[in-house]
C-alpha cells in the first residue's frame, strides 16, 4: 500500500465500534471490517439478486455480487491513486448494496410503496438505510451483539443518503445529514466507483442482451469517442473485442479524470485531517466535462435500457411479486415463521420488509408461487 495521505481515514484512529472490542492481532481495523462483510450471509445472497437483468435470464449478466466486486476493484484503484485507505474503500464498496431487495430498483421501489401505503407509521423502505441495518442489526453472527459491529468509518460510507427523520434516530452516522457535512474521501470515491461500475457494465450487459446496439450508442459522446479510436487502431476488430476495448477505455478515462479532478480539489482546499474533509465541500468529483458525459450515458441507459419494454415486463412482474408477498404477510402474519412475527403492528411491518428485502430473486419467485398457486 502506498503511504496514507494526511486526509485519509486511519484505522489506528478510528472513531470505533458500537460495542468495544480488543484490536485485531494480524489485520488492521478496516481489514477486519472487509473480512466480516465477505463472511456475512447478506453478502452471499448478492449472487442471486438482480442488477438489471433478473438472475435467471442469463449466466453472463452482472448480479449484485459481481457488481459489488467491480465497484471494489475501481474503488481500490482510486484509493491507491489518492493516498486513501484501500481496505476501507474496499469494505464500503463490498457492503454498499447489502440492503438491496430482490429484483433491483423495481423491488426496492415497490417495497417502499407498500410500506408507505400499508404501514405508514413504519417509515418507508430505503435500500441505503437497509444496507446499514444489515450490518448494524440483521446479521446474526456474534454472541455479544447484533450485526457485524463495524467501525464508524465503514458505516458512515455505507449510508450514502437517508431521510432526515431517519438521520435523527441514527446517532453518530446520522449527524452529517442534519449538519449537511460530507463523509470521508474513502466514502466519496466508493460512491463514484459505484457509478463508474454500473454505467459501464450496464452498457456491456445491454449490448450482450441485444436490447441496445452499437449504432444507438454512437449518439453518446463518451462511447462514440472511444469506439471510434478503437476501430481506427484496429479496423477489422470483431464486435465482442471492440466492445470490451471501448468499455475498458471508458472506465480508464473516468478513473483518470476523477483522480486528477479530486487531486486538484485536494490541492485547492488543503485538508490536513479527515475531519477537514468532512467539513469541506465534496472533494471527489469528475471534471465538469466528464460529469456531463457521464450524465449523458446515464440518461441513454435510462431511456434505452432500463425502460426497454423487455426490462419493463420484468419490472412490472417483480413489483407484483413484492406487493403480493407484502400484502399476504401483513394480512396473515401466521404465513411467516416465528422469527418474523411481532406483536406490535409497526414492528411487524418492519420485520416483513426485512424478510422480503433479504430474499434472493429466485426465493421470492418460489415463495410467490407457493403462496398464490395451488398446483
Ligand atoms: Mg451499487
Amino acid at each position: 500500500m502506498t503511504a496514507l495521505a494526511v486526509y485519509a481515514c486511519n484505522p489506528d484512529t478510528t472513531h470505533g465500534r458500537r460495542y468495544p472490542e480488543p484490536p485485531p492481532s494480524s489485520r488492521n481495523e478496516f481489514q477486519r471490517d472487509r473480512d466480516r462483510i465477505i463472511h456475512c450471509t447478506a453478502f452471499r445472497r448478492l449472487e442471486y439478486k438482480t442488477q438489471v437483468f433478473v438472475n435467471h435470464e442469463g449466466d453472463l449478466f452482472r448480479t449484485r455480487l459481481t457488481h459489488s466486486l467491480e465497484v471494489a476493484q475501481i474503488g481500490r484503484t482510486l484509493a491507491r491513486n489518492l493516498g486513501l485507505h484501500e481496505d476501507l474503500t474496499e469494505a464500503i464498496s463490498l457492503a454498499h448494496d447489502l440492503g438491496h431487495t430482490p429484483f433491483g430498483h423495481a423491488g426496492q421501489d415497490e417495497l417502499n410503496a407498500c410500506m408507505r401505503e400499508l404501514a405508514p407509521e413504519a417509515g418507508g423502505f430505503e435500500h441505503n438505510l437497509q444496507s446499514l441495518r444489515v450490518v448494524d442489526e440483521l446479521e446474526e453472527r456474534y454472541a455479544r451483539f447484533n450485526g457485524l459491529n463495524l467501525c464508524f468509518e465503514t458505516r458512515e460510507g455505507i449510508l450514502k443518503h437517508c431521510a432526515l427523520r431517519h438521520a435523527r434516530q441514527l446517532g453518530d452516522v446520522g449527524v452529517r445529514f442534519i449538519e449537511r457535512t460530507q463523509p470521508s474521501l474513502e466514502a466519496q470515491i466508493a460512491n463514484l466507483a459505484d457509478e463508474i461500475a454500473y454505467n459501464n457494465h450496464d452498457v456491456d450487459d445491454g449490448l450482450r442482451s441485444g436490447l441496445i446496439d452499437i449504432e444507438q450508442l454512437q449518439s453518446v459522446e463518451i462511447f462514440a469517442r472511444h469506439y471510434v479510436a478503437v476501430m481506427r487502431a484496429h479496423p477489422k476488430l470483431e464486435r465482442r473485442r471492440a466492445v470490451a476495448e471501448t468499455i475498458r477505455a471508458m472506465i480508464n478515462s473516468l478513473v483518470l479524470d476523477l483522480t486528477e479532478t479530486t487531486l486538484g480539489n485536494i490541492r485547492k482546499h488543503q485538508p490536513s485531517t479527515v475531519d477537514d474533509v468532512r467539513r469541506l465541500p465534496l472533494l471527489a468529483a469528475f471534471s465538469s466535462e466528464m460529469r456531463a458525459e457521464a450524465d449523458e450515458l446515464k440518461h441513454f441507459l435510462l431511456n434505452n435500457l432500463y425502460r426497454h419494454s423487455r426490462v419493463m415486463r420484468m419490472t412490472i412482474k417483480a413489483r407484483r411479486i413484492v406487493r403480493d408477498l407484502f400484502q399476504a404477510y401483513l394480512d396473515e402474519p401466521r404465513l411467516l415463521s416465528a422469527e418474523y412475527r411481532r406483536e406490535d403492528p409497526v414492528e411487524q411491518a418492519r420485520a416483513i420488509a426485512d424478510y422480503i428485502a433479504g430474499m434472493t430473486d429466485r426465493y421470492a419467485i418460489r415463495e410467490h408461487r407457493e403462496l398464490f398457486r395451488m398446483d
Side-chain angles (χ1 to χ4, degrees):
M1 193 142 83
T2 42
L4 213 52
V6 287
Y7 47 76
C9 286
N10 187 330
D12 299 332
T13 54
T14 167
H15 291 214
R17 301 175 188 275
R18 295 208 295 170
Y19 307 92
E21 294 184 63
S25 48
S26 58
R27 301 170 287 179
N28 70 58
E29 296 280 10
F30 299 149
Q31 257 180 300
R32 172 148 78 174
D33 281 7
R34 190 266 323 273
D35 297 354
R36 286 181 178 193
I37 290 159
I38 286 189
H39 288 294
C40 83
T41 309
F43 185 72
R44 285 192 299 284
R45 287 190 182 138
L46 295 176
E47 184 174 3
Y48 300 105
K49 291 194 180 199
T50 293
Q51 185 65 27
V52 173
F53 297 90
V54 173
N55 182 242
H56 59 250
E57 284 185 290
D59 290 346
L60 298 177
F61 296 124
R62 268 69 175 186
T63 65
R64 288 258 159 226
L65 180 64
T66 61
H67 161 70
S68 300
L69 296 174
E70 290 184 35
V71 175
Q73 172 82 354
I74 293 168
R76 282 195 85 113
T77 300
L78 289 164
R80 197 174 300 189
N81 288 349
L82 296 166
L84 300 171
H85 205 286
E86 287 182 45
D87 298 325
L88 174 60
T89 309
E90 187 179 17
I92 295 169
S93 303
L94 292 175
H96 84 283
D97 274 347
L98 288 179
H100 239 290
T101 62
F103 311 123
H105 283 277
Q108 168 207 313
D109 291 347
E110 192 61 30
L111 189 51
N112 187 28
C114 288
M115 284 287 272
R116 285 170 172 274
E117 286 166 37
L118 304 173
E121 313 78 37
F125 178 86
E126 297 176 35
H127 79 275
N128 234 255
L129 192 56
Q130 190 72 8
S131 293
L132 184 70
R133 189 167 159 74
V134 167
V135 301
D136 277 358
E137 295 293 337
L138 299 181
E139 282 289 327
E140 297 174 323
R141 307 184 64 79
Y142 292 87
R144 290 193 299 119
F145 44 75
N146 282 341
L148 304 177
N149 198 30
L150 303 180
C151 292
F152 168 83
E153 291 78 3
T154 310
R155 300 170 57 241
E156 170 193 46
I158 291 172
L159 191 65
K160 279 190 265 191
H161 34 72
C162 82
L164 258 190
R165 66 178 189 286
H166 292 138
R168 290 196 188 93
Q169 297 159 4
L170 285 173
D172 55 3
V173 285
V175 172
R176 78 177 156 96
F177 300 97
I178 299 160
E179 295 183 349
R180 295 175 173 279
T181 55
Q182 315 301 338
S184 71
L185 264 164
E186 284 82 353
Q188 294 181 34
I189 61 164
N191 186 24
L192 291 168
D194 184 26
E195 185 184 337
I196 295 174
Y198 67 67
N199 271 335
N200 284 282
H201 65 49
D202 289 352
V203 169
D204 192 32
D205 283 352
L207 288 169
R208 188 188 305 277
S209 68
L211 300 189
I212 55 175
D213 59 39
I214 291 179
E215 288 60 48
Q216 279 174 295
L217 275 160
Q218 300 294 336
S219 68
V220 181
E221 175 61 30
I222 189 169
F223 184 92
R225 174 156 42 88
H226 291 293
Y227 182 73
V228 166
V230 167
M231 293 315 286
R232 197 172 292 143
H234 312 279
K236 295 208 175 91
L237 197 61
E238 61 186 277
R239 194 188 108 107
R240 186 185 302 165
R241 289 175 198 263
V243 169
E245 288 281 353
T246 304
I247 289 172
R248 178 179 309 112
M250 287 202 293
I251 293 175
N252 197 44
S253 68
L254 287 157
V255 166
L256 286 178
D257 181 274
L258 178 51
T259 302
E260 285 311 312
T261 311
T262 304
L263 282 174
N265 289 339
I266 289 168
R267 273 193 295 274
K268 182 170 152 208
H269 290 282
Q270 296 285 330
S272 54
T273 65
V274 60
D275 283 327
D276 287 348
V277 170
R278 293 187 174 107
R279 280 188 293 267
L280 287 164
L282 275 176
L283 296 175
F286 294 112
S287 64
S288 52
E289 299 79 20
M290 192 57 98
R291 181 71 267 167
E293 287 193 356
D295 287 345
E296 186 195 15
L297 176 58
K298 243 185 196 176
H299 215 73
F300 173 89
L301 288 168
L302 180 65
N303 289 324
N304 296 282
L305 182 61
Y306 310 144
R307 289 186 187 153
H308 190 285
S309 60
R310 261 176 59 200
V311 175
M312 288 308 292
R313 281 170 66 95
M314 183 287 278
T315 300
I316 288 161
K317 282 197 283 185
R319 280 180 168 264
R320 188 179 305 136
I321 288 176
V322 169
R323 178 163 292 260
D324 286 350
L325 291 178
F326 190 91
Q327 184 85 62
Y329 298 142
L330 198 67
D331 290 349
E332 189 41 271
R334 281 175 298 179
L335 289 170
L336 296 159
S337 68
E339 66 173 311
Y340 291 107
R341 288 204 294 268
R342 303 284 186 278
E343 292 294 326
D344 174 76
V346 171
E347 284 175 26
Q348 181 62 80
R350 180 58 58 196
I352 292 170
D354 288 339
Y355 181 42
I356 294 176
M359 292 180 180
T360 61
D361 295 0
R362 59 187 186 176
Y363 184 91
I365 292 167
R366 202 186 314 136
E367 175 73 352
H368 189 264
R369 197 183 300 136
E370 271 183 31
L371 287 183
F372 290 93
R373 275 175 40 181
M374 290 301 279
D375 57 337

